[in-house]
Amino acid sequence: AVTAASVAALAQCASSPRFKSAYPAVAAQYLQKAQLGWQFLTNAIARYGKNGAYQKITHYGDNFMHDDELAWAACEMYLATGSVSFQQQLQAWFDPADPGTWRWGWWRMSECYGNAIRSYAFAARSGRLAANQLDTTFLGKCETQIRAAGDDTLAWSQQNAYGSSFPEATKRVLTAGWYFSSDQAFDITVAYQLNPRPEYLTAILANMNYEAGCNPVNVT
């Protein structure tokens, strides 16, 4: 999981047009390191199998084992190289429309699956690839999930007296931990890039206001 996330992050930096313009030598080195990391991953999977190559050291990031990190790595390697083999691997490992990739069956775009969806959806807009290099069906699924995640988080904001996007499903179990209002609003911000609905801005501001002091204890 750690190697896959590192590969994804290195490839993402290496594929950034602005990063390449400012630091061409470093960008090239990052891509080289990402390719070495990818080779490590594929060698491990070939030797031990996809599940056998996984080692659990801590519970952090273990929601989907290493499956979400591997999907993100494959996505970023494709965006950095344009090699269709990476896109094929991404599609073999990940279907954005599969509810099995949603945390607890309702939290869309969680963990590195969300990273992969955002990166692919904005690949042409960010100048990493040409629009005709993207699979239209897969792209459509990514954009659908972005809109749906934004709408879910908007609805949670509208269901809360303080405007904070506290999930409806979490209310049912009467417990929660590690909840950050502006973190929730990030999905709305991404959805706004595809569809600038005024309701999205209202929800984003409401979540920011909650962290700034508009909350039951009246503190930031």
Side-chain angles (χ1 to χ4, degrees), residues 50-97:
K50 192 159 180 276
N51 290 348
Y54 181 72
Q55 299 179 60
K56 180 176 182 289
I57 299 173
T58 172
H59 67 279
Y60 284 106
D62 190 53
N63 299 326
F64 305 103
M65 291 182 37
H66 57 180
D67 292 346
D68 56 325
E69 288 91 353
L70 286 171
W72 183 31
C75 176
E76 297 297 350
M77 289 299 291
Y78 176 57
L79 304 188
T81 66
S83 174
V84 294
S85 62
F86 292 116
Q87 179 168 243
Q88 291 168 348
Q89 189 61 79
L90 169 63
Q91 292 172 314
W93 280 343
F94 179 42
D95 178 3

Side-chain angles (χ1 to χ4, degrees), residues 176-188:
W178 301 106
Y179 172 81
F180 302 98
S181 199
S182 291
D183 191 40
Q184 295 289 95
F186 183 69
D187 282 330
I188 311 177

